Amino acid sequence: MVSFTALALVLSGCSGAANSSPSPSAESACEATALAGFSAYELWLSQGNSGTLTEFLAALVGEKGQDGYVGADGINGSPGLPGEPGKSAYQLWLDQGNTGTPDEFLNSLVGAAGMTGLNGLSAYQLWIQVGHSGTVQDFLDSLAGEPGPTGAPGTCTSGDVGPAGPAGPAGATGPSGSPGPVGERGTQGVQGVQGDPGPAGPVLTPTENAYTLGGGTIAGTQPTFNGTPMFYGAYVQTGATVFFNVTVVMSNITGFGTGQYYVTLPFPSKYGYSTSEGRITDTSSGHNFSLHGYAEPGSNVLKLTYDSGSQQVMFDHNSPVTLTPSDLFVISGTYIVQ
C-alpha cells in the first residue's frame, strides 16, 4: 500500500525539481506530471504500483483495528499541550531546498496547459447520426412544428362614446395669410330712396392772412436793399389746402445778387409741388415773361424758373431779362400743407 507520506514526497519532489536531486524514476514521474497533469491514481501507478482504480482506492484504506474500523469509546484523557505552530506550505517548500519568493512558489504549483480537445459534432451532424438524411435546409425545416388549427375570427364592438372634454385655451393668433384672389363684381343693387336733406352746415368764410415772405438766391451772392425788402406774401387756408400769393417789388433794391431766385411758402408742402401761375414784368419794355415755381416734398422753398423754348431755365438777375429797380414779379398757387 502506498502511504500519503510517499504521495507528498512525490508532489514535493516535482515542485522542487529545479533545486533537489531526486531519483531518476522520480524525475521521470515529475516530468510526466508536469506535461500531462496526472491524477492521484496515475501518480500511484508512476511510483511502481499496479492495479485497477478500485485497487488503488482500496490501497488507501488502512489495516482493520482490533475494534474494527471504528474503535470502542475510550476514556477521555487529559488535554495535551498545545503543539508547535505548523509551517506554512511556502516554508515547507523552502525546507525542501527550493529558493524563491512566495509568488515564485505559487507559480511552481501551476501545471502545464493540457492539450486542446476535439470540436464536438454540430446539431446537423448529430441529426444525421441518429438515422436521418437530407440537407442542412431539410434539417432546419424539420425543426418547425406543424401549424396549429386556425381559431375562429373574433368579434369586437365599439364602446360608448365618452363625454366631450373641456375646451382647451385659445391658441395664439397665427400670421395673416396671403390675400386671396379678387372676387367677381356683383350685380348692382337697387338704388335706395334718397334720404331727407341734412341741416345746413356752418358757412365758412376763408380768411386771408399775411406772412413774412423770405427770398433770395439759392447760390451765389444775395440781393441787397435800401431798407426793408419789399416782399409781400398772403395766404388763405381751408383745411389742408392753402392758396398763396407772392409779390416782389424791386424799387429799393441796390444789388440784384447772383444765382437762382427763390421765395418761401407760408407752410411746407406735403408733396412735391409745381405752379405756373407767375409772371415777370419788364417795365422798361412792357414785356411779361411766364414764371414757374417748384417745391420739394416737406419743403417751403419755392425755386423760380421761366420758359426758354421747350424747357424751363432758372430765373436770375439777367435771365430772362436784365432786371432794373422798376421791374417786379408775382406768383401764386394752391397746394396741400404737410
Side-chain angles (χ1 to χ4, degrees), residues 205-216:
T205 303
T207 302
E208 183 176 0
N209 302 285
Y211 73 97
T212 302
L213 178 67

Side-chain angles (χ1 to χ4, degrees), residues 244 273-278 291-295 302 305 312 331-334:
F244 72 95
Y273 170 65
S274 296
T275 179
S276 300
E277 303 295 326
L291 184 63
H292 307 275
Y294 173 75
L302 191 68
T305 61
Q312 294 182 10
I331 191 167
S332 61
T334 303

Side-chain angles (χ1 to χ4, degrees), residues 97-262:
N98 300 290
T99 60
T101 64
D103 288 338
E104 291 173 331
F105 161 65
L106 294 174
N107 292 334
S108 70
L109 301 180
V110 180
M115 297 177 63
T116 304
L118 298 176
N119 294 328
L121 297 176
S122 67
Y124 169 64
Q125 293 169 328
L126 292 173
W127 183 70
I128 293 296
Q129 285 192 358
V130 297
H132 296 93
S133 62
T135 63
V136 175
Q137 187 60 50
D138 296 332
F139 163 67
L140 295 176
D141 294 340
S142 71
L143 300 180
E146 294 293 332
T150 303
T155 58
C156 60
T157 58
S158 300
D160 296 334
V161 179
T173 302
S176 299
S178 56
V182 178
E184 296 181 1
R185 183 175 180 177
T187 57
Q188 183 173 353
V190 178
Q191 184 175 354
V193 179
Q194 183 174 352
D196 297 332
V203 178
L204 298 178
T205 303
T207 302
E208 183 176 0
N209 302 285
Y211 73 97
T212 302
L213 178 67
T217 57
I218 300 297
T221 59
Q222 297 297 321
T224 57
F225 303 87
N226 181 13
T228 302
M230 301 175 71
F231 293 174
Y232 306 100
Y235 71 93
V236 176
Q237 182 174 5
T238 304
T241 303
V242 173
F243 169 79
F244 72 95
N245 184 72
V246 168
T247 301
V248 174
V249 179
M250 303 179 188
S251 58
N252 69 339
I253 196 167
T254 58
F256 289 93
T258 59
Q260 183 180 12
Y261 289 133
Y262 76 92

Side-chain angles (χ1 to χ4, degrees), residues 293-317:
Y294 173 75
E296 300 284 346
S299 173
N300 71 334
V301 175
L302 191 68
K303 301 176 184 178
L304 303 177
T305 61
Y306 70 95
D307 289 331
S308 176
S310 60
Q311 61 182 352
Q312 294 182 10
V313 180
M314 66 180 185
F315 170 37
D316 61 15
H317 70 287

Side-chain angles (χ1 to χ4, degrees), residues 10-62:
V10 172
L11 292 173
S12 63
C14 289
S15 61
N19 298 295
S20 62
S21 300
S23 64
S25 62
E27 289 182 351
S28 62
C30 291
E31 181 178 1
T33 302
L35 293 176
F38 278 6
S39 66
Y41 171 60
E42 291 170 326
L43 288 173
W44 182 71
L45 294 176
S46 70
Q47 295 295 316
N49 299 289
S50 61
T52 65
L53 178 59
T54 301
E55 291 172 332
F56 162 66
L57 296 175
L60 300 179
V61 181

